[in-house]
């Protein structure tokens, strides 16, 4: 293992939150001490910690930078007031605690107001990536039993109106921002305008549900991982240790809140710690990003390996970013060259860290306090017991250091998801005894650094987004010319993997370039650009096991020209 390549860091301008002493003495109760709790001992509510308790500070919570150059600073006081109004809007529409409010919004201030307002009303909030097409949206709103949808007029027309008849539980659609208010929806601005500024958050238990995030497995529909208000204890502790957030920081988390990183660290953690966050509505653009880092005086930056690799291509020479002091990344393996590129480009290495939708927050990280081992995800954070295991018939065996196996986490950390909604069987499969089984394969070295090896299943990681192959295959087979389909993640130097599809045509259809493009276009329209296949081959048959399961792994091996392994159970060679 390349320990000798570890990067020793010079002392930074700010003393790291994580020291050997804080590591040794850490307990979750101590982390809870960074929060106030609801007045009068009424429990713990994420929205109160994120807005109300900083309301009098006068500080800026969000520095919003719009896609067309607009600028708006939102103070903690404004966030507290507007989220009160949003809670009143929900109450006046009859929304009850526990009911689900789905947000399909670009990164605009209304998104943050709606997240906090829903939590204040003790609703469950689910943020969906606005680049999803109608199909993934319908699936998720259906599984999540959406009661309210908050979106924009244009997203409504393109993505929600076509599926509205599949969502009988939706009784209220609020649209934010510019444009004519479509029939069957109401203006969010008008509703907020009429609502009261006053709202008392009802008693909230740390075990009450708060945020729902969808994630994907190899088979079946997406899984709705349900989190609780008490997860905020993990969000703030991990943000202090793995992102080294201090109250005076200007923080930029580039992830969209449609993905868990964008809520845990784009909304909850920085707001709860009273830190100013930059919110950029625009899509990735290397020049624009470099400008944001410089002009907004970003001091802590949390991003993703795909973005880092795209920046590596576009960035020229060394740029001084005197305010930047800490950079971290998550979502897929961060190659050692990318870790070191940061030093060349702006004088700081990039700290990789690891977690999942289900874990709610960062569990393993290269921190400000420790040397970085480029290519490693780092070490477990305080309060987290992570091991490498082999599971045989439900029995967990912890493996010695150096051996490859599955990452397992001792259950009980506050950010852990509580269930996949409506799916107790799939929830149960993630646990064995005291351990949560992550589905990721890795090795742990003698210094307790973890090294990512791969996934146990066939899920695909593309540009930091986890995509279930089944969801894509289902849409491909809905094309009239396709009888069966399989998709794989094909290694890509920038996006880590790109989605490649293989389809078999129905009899009577002839393979042609026009048909291939038509199938790709169909998938893009239904799924959205983020999860549609980028490449597609029309093939005569797909390899299957004798029991009929498509062997995606074999397709992948063939695509990459690798050894095909044991094919004795193959039906279609
Ligand atoms: P998600 O639930 O969408 O956040 O995706 C979680 C998955 O992303 C993990 O199970 C890993 O497979 C992958 N992942 C996240 N962070 C890293 C990392 N630092 N290195 C390698 N893979 C990662």
């Amino acid at each position: 293992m390349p320990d000798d390549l570890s990067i020793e860091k010079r002392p930074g301008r700010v003393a790291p939150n994580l020291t050997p002493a804080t590591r040794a003495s850490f307990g979750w109760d101590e982390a809870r001490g960074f929060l106030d709790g609801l007045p009068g001992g009424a429990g713990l509510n994420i929205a109160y910690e994120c807005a109300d308790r900083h309301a009098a500070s006068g500080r800026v919570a969000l520095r919003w930078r719009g896609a067309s150059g607009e600028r708006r600073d939102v103070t903690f006081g404004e966030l507290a007031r507007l989220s009160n109004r949003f809670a009143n809007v929900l109450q006046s529409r009859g929304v009850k605690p526990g009911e689900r409010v789905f947000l399909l919004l670009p990164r605009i201030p209304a998104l943050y107001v709606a997240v906090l307002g829903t939590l204040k009303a003790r609703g469950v909030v689910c943020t969906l990536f606005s680049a999803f097409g109608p199909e993934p949206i319908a699936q998720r709103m259906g599984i999540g039993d959406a009661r309210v949808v908050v979106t924009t007029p244009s997203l409504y027309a393109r993505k929600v109106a076509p599926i509205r008849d599949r969502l009988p539980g939706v009784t209220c659609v609020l649209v934010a921002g510019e444009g004519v208010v479509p029939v069957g929806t109401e203006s969010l601005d008008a509703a907020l305008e009429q609502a009261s500024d006053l709202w008392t958050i009802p008693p909230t238990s740390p075990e009450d549900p708060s945020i729902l995030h969808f994630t994907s497995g190899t088979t079946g529909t997406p899984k709705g991982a349900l989190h609780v208000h008490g997860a905020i204890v993990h969000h703030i502790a991990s943000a202090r240790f793995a992102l080294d957030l201090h109250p005076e920081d200007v923080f930029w988390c580039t992830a969209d809140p449609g993905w868990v990183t964008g809520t845990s660290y784009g909304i909850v953690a920085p707001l709860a710690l009273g830190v100013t966050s930059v919110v950029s509505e625009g899509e990735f653009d290397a020049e624009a990003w470099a400008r944001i880092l410089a002009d907004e005086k970003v001091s802590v930056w949390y991003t993703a390996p795909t973005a880092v690799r795209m920046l590596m291509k576009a960035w020229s020479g060394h740029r001084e970013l005197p305010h930047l002091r800490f950079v971290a990344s998550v979502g897929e393996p961060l190659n050692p060259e990318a870790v070191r590129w940061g030093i060349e480009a702006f004088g700081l290495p990039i700290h990789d860290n690891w977690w999942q939708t289900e874990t709610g927050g960062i569990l393993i990280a290269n921190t400000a306090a420790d040397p970085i081992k480029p290519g490693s995800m780092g070490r477990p954070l305080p309060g987290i017991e992570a091991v490498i295991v082999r599971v045989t018939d439900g029995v967990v065996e912890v493996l010695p250091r150096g051996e490859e196996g599955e990452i397992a986490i001792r259950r009980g950390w506050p950010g852990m998801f509580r269930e996949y909604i409506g799916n107790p069987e799939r929830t149960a499969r993630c646990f064995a005894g005291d351990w949560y089984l992550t589905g990721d394969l890795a090795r742990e070295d003698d210094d307790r650094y973890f090294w990512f090896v791969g996934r146990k299943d066939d899920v695909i990681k593309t540009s930091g987004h986890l995509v279930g192959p089944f969801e894509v295959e289902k849409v491909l087979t809905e094309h009239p010319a396709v009888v069966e389909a399989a998709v794989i993640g094909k290694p890509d130097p920038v996006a880590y993997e790109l989605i490649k599809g293989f389809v078999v045509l129905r009899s009577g259809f002839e393979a042609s370039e026009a048909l291939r493009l038509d199938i790709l276009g169909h998938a893009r329209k239904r799924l959205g650009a983020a999860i549609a296949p980028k490449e597609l081959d029309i093939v005569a048959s797909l390899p299957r096991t004798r029991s009929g399961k498509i062997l995606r792994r074999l397709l992948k091996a063939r695509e990459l020209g690798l050894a095909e392994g044991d094919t004795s159970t193959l039906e279609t060679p």
Side-chain angles (χ1 to χ4, degrees), residues 168-218:
V170 173
T171 56
C172 170
V173 178
L174 296 155
V175 291
E178 304 290 302
V180 178
V181 177
V183 177
T185 73
E186 7 171 5
S187 156
L188 175 65
D189 285 349
L192 289 175
E193 187 75 25
Q194 285 155 20
S196 160
D197 273 349
L198 302 177
W199 175 264
T200 304
I201 300 177
T204 311
S205 149
E207 279 303 307
D208 280 339
S210 57
I211 300 175
L212 176 67
H213 261 300
F214 281 86
T215 183
S216 303
T218 304

Side-chain angles (χ1 to χ4, degrees), residues 98-102 138-148 167-170 212 214 421:
E99 291 189 327
R100 280 84 188 244
V101 176
F102 274 69
Q139 283 248 343
R140 287 159 175 76
M141 288 188 182
I143 297 167
D145 196 11
R147 168 85 154 81
V148 177
L167 306 169
V170 173
L212 176 67
F214 281 86
I421 49 167

Side-chain angles (χ1 to χ4, degrees), residues 306-557:
T306 297
V308 171
R309 289 188 288 263
M310 281 158 62
L311 280 172
M312 285 169 79
K313 284 179 148 189
W315 195 278
S316 50
H318 179 89
R319 300 194 197 190
E320 278 304 314
L321 293 170
H323 297 276
L324 192 63
R325 64 171 188 82
F326 190 79
V327 186
S329 135
V330 70
E332 61 210 25
L334 186 70
N335 42 320
E337 305 74 53
V339 175
R340 289 203 194 82
W341 166 79
I343 301 177
E344 257 169 68
F346 41 75
L348 297 167
I350 300 174
H351 299 73
D352 187 19
N353 59 52
W354 174 94
W355 58 293
Q356 311 174 303
T357 302
E358 288 85 342
T359 72
I362 304 167
L363 298 188
I364 295 178
N366 286 284
T367 68
D370 303 312
I372 294 178
K373 293 197 187 189
S376 158
M377 312 189 292
R379 301 202 287 160
L381 291 181
I384 302 300
E385 190 179 345
V387 289
I388 299 292
V389 301
R390 183 187 302 128
V391 185
T392 321
D393 299 329
V395 178
V396 177
E397 178 195 354
V398 177
L399 299 178
R401 304 252 158 103
E403 275 195 40
E404 184 180 313
E406 182 170 0
I407 306 176
I409 315 292
R410 190 180 290 281
R411 63 207 284 176
W413 74 97
M416 187 182 85
F417 81 117
R418 297 305 194 262
E419 59 168 325
Y420 296 128
I421 49 167
N423 209 333
E425 193 266 329
R426 263 177 128 175
T427 309
R429 261 195 272 150
C430 296
F431 295 92
D434 276 349
W435 300 101
Y436 162 66
L437 306 171
T438 65
D440 276 6
L441 302 173
R443 269 190 310 270
E444 181 190 353
D445 72 16
D446 289 338
D447 302 321
R448 300 235 50 210
Y449 282 69
F450 281 66
W451 299 76
F452 185 76
V453 172
R455 285 285 308 177
K456 256 180 79 182
D457 55 18
D458 289 338
V459 293
I460 299 165
K461 251 292 153 119
T462 181
S463 299
H465 308 145
L466 197 72
V467 178
F470 178 73
E471 195 173 1
V472 181
E473 289 159 359
K474 186 166 165 287
V475 165
L476 286 172
T477 53
E478 281 162 15
H479 187 281
V482 175
V483 65
E484 52 178 14
V487 303
I488 61 164
K490 180 175 166 181
D492 180 81
V494 176
Y496 182 56
E497 292 184 319
L498 59 80
I499 301 178
K500 170 149 193 176
F502 299 84
V503 293
V504 178
L505 297 184
R506 217 170 264 288
S507 64
F509 286 89
E510 281 276 312
S512 69
E513 183 57 9
L515 180 57
R516 202 183 67 81
L517 293 177
D518 191 65
I519 299 169
L520 274 174
H522 154 87
R524 199 180 156 91
K525 194 159 153 239
R526 299 286 304 280
L527 292 164
I531 64 172
K534 296 271 181 301
E535 292 185 10
L536 186 81
D537 283 358
I538 297 176
V539 294
S541 65
L542 293 172
R544 287 179 177 279
T545 60
R546 286 187 202 290
S547 59
K549 245 174 91 176
I550 292 175
L551 275 167
R552 299 190 188 89
R553 219 154 283 184
L554 186 61
L555 270 175
K556 191 163 173 169

